[in-house]
Amino acid sequence: MKSVFPALFLAVLMSACDRTASGTKEASAATPLQGTWKLLSGTLIEKGDTTVTDYTQRVSFIKIINDSHFAFLQHDLNKGKDSTASFSAGGGTYTLKDSAYTEKLEYCNAREWEGNEFHFTISIQNDTLVQRGVEKVEAAGVERLNIEKYVRVK
């Protein structure tokens, strides 16, 4: 009888540990937002002017999102050899609650953008992500509505 109690206790303990481990995995499971996204188009509306950019032509822009951070990279497609030469990058942390997505930009080649938070509403349909929100950066004199349409990179 003495040997049954330690074995029973050990079985209960192992079962409890196993549930905790699987519960942790479920809590950190990937959300549909996580992954690599290629920007297809961007619409900026500022002071009544609308600018639409097709990101499939002269530039390439991707956003990479993991469980706690995001990063973006953009460059021209002519390898910097003409007047379209450009490169931009940045990243930081984000929060997501339902469709409310907030980025805290910690790193950016445009340094006046660092330290700002950007609040967006997102929607994901199949492999398409649409992100919409106001970008406001006082140091850069920017306040505009930004609407971006991404496709998931397979």
Side-chain angles (χ1 to χ4, degrees), residues 11-125:
V12 171
L13 181 62
M14 288 177 68
S15 174
C17 289
D18 189 40
R19 272 191 232 126
T20 302
S22 66
T24 302
K25 285 180 188 172
E26 289 173 8
S28 64
T31 67
L33 181 62
Q34 292 178 28
T36 302
W37 299 90
K38 182 172 179 53
L39 186 58
L40 299 176
S41 65
T43 302
L44 297 174
I45 303 170
E46 186 172 18
K47 297 178 183 167
D49 292 328
T50 300
T51 304
V52 178
T53 303
D54 180 350
Y55 284 90
T56 65
Q57 298 299 314
R58 294 188 260 315
V59 295
S60 180
F61 184 112
I62 63 168
K63 182 178 278 192
I64 302 165
I65 303 172
N66 68 19
D67 63 336
S68 61
H69 288 76
F70 74 95
F72 62 85
L73 302 160
Q74 175 188 317
H75 69 115
D76 64 278
L77 296 177
N78 291 325
K79 301 189 184 290
K81 295 183 179 172
D82 63 18
S83 63
T84 66
S86 66
F87 177 81
S88 62
T93 59
Y94 76 90
T95 59
L96 176 64
K97 182 168 173 68
D98 300 321
S99 64
Y101 172 67
T102 301
E103 294 179 343
K104 178 156 184 167
L105 193 59
E106 297 173 354
Y107 307 94
C108 190
N109 64 302
R111 302 301 290 268
E112 65 271 14
W113 286 66
E114 291 182 348
N116 286 286
E117 282 191 3
F118 302 96
H119 304 278
F120 299 99
T121 301
I122 63 164
S123 65
I124 299 173
Q125 294 293 322

